[in-house]
Amino acid sequence: MKAPAKQITTQFFLISSYLAGMIAVRGLGYQDFLYLTPFNLLLTLGLLVWNHEPRSSGLWQFMLLAYLTGYFIEVAGVGTGAIFGVYTYGEVLGWKLWGAPLLIGVNWVLVVYIGNEVLNRWLGDRPLIARAALGALIPVALDWLIEPVAIQYGMWQWEAGTPPLQNYLAWYAVSLFLSGAYQTWIGGALRNQAAPLILVLQILFFIILRV
């Protein structure tokens, strides 16, 4: 498929899926639409990978590391309350194993990838440590944006009602580790056309649901 056709197809499916969610949940009040979140995560990841060229071994190494790290840190977080704080997951994000949704690792892959890819468009010539340190801030900012929506719609709940500072510090630490892996294995030259659109759509989606 030619590049313009790929971009148009990607834009169509991404915009359609996020727009449908905004209209259904916020516009029409169909909160059960959020149970389709796992399908949206998988669609978004599939389109992101489709637009990653060339698909080198570094991509698969990063995705595997980010998924396993993200998932098992959530398992430990839910099980102990010592990493992010005391919280539990609801049913919106799909099947759970050991207290954490299986697809939460996909979310970690997405937010770290798009954060670093978009950041590299401005800082691609900076030292790796600087790119990783700044790239880790975007997943943390997204988590801050998502938290009130996730709590309101039952994605997860905090024992204290709201996330503690500890949550954001842990998010930054994990994101920094994964951002370092991204910058090492994938680097600063990549221009994935889907990444900026995904970031913008996620920001718009959660801002609209927060209003």
Side-chain angles (χ1 to χ4, degrees):
M1 184 178 293
K2 295 182 179 179
K6 176 184 285 191
Q7 293 174 20
I8 292 171
T9 302
T10 298
Q11 292 167 3
F12 172 78
F13 280 107
L14 285 173
I15 294 173
S16 297
S17 62
Y18 280 89
L19 184 61
M22 294 178 202
I23 294 173
V25 178
R26 186 60 180 166
L28 302 176
Y30 295 154
Q31 296 188 19
D32 285 351
F33 196 88
L34 287 171
Y35 284 96
L36 296 176
T37 298
F39 298 100
N40 179 260
L41 283 173
L42 291 174
L43 172 65
T44 302
L45 179 64
L47 291 170
L48 189 72
V49 172
W50 190 38
N51 283 270
H52 181 107
E53 295 178 353
R55 296 186 190 96
S56 63
S57 60
L59 170 66
W60 310 119
Q61 290 172 338
F62 166 75
M63 289 180 59
L64 181 62
L65 177 68
Y67 178 85
L68 293 176
T69 300
Y71 174 70
F72 283 108
I73 202 73
E74 296 282 356
V75 169
V78 170
T80 67
I83 299 173
F84 302 99
V86 181
Y87 67 108
T88 55
Y89 277 102
E91 304 302 321
V92 174
L93 296 180
W95 293 328
K96 291 183 286 187
L97 180 64
W98 301 316
L102 291 170
L103 284 180
I104 198 63
V106 172
N107 186 63
W108 278 97
V109 173
L110 285 173
V111 295
V112 174
Y113 183 110
I114 63 176
N116 281 271
E117 197 280 342
V118 170
L119 182 99
N120 280 349
R121 292 168 183 258
W122 292 277
L123 300 178
D125 58 345
R126 298 295 192 275
L128 184 149
I129 187 62
R131 284 183 275 129
L134 292 172
L137 290 173
I138 297 179
V140 177
L142 283 174
D143 181 59
W144 173 83
L145 180 64
I146 291 169
E147 283 291 348
V149 177
I151 295 168
Q152 178 182 353
Y153 290 104
M155 295 180 185
W156 57 79
Q157 297 292 331
W158 294 92
E159 184 182 60
T162 57
L165 176 61
Q166 171 187 353
N167 172 65
Y168 300 110
L169 295 175
W171 256 84
Y172 184 78
V174 177
S175 298
L176 179 61
F177 168 68
L178 294 178
S179 294
Y182 176 96
Q183 297 295 346
T184 299
W185 289 333
I186 298 176
L190 175 70
R191 293 294 180 268
N192 187 322
Q193 299 303 316
L197 179 59
I198 293 170
L199 180 60
V200 169
L201 287 172
Q202 290 209 350
I203 292 172
L204 288 175
F205 180 82
F206 288 105
I207 285 178
I208 288 173
L209 263 62
R210 280 186 65 157
V211 174

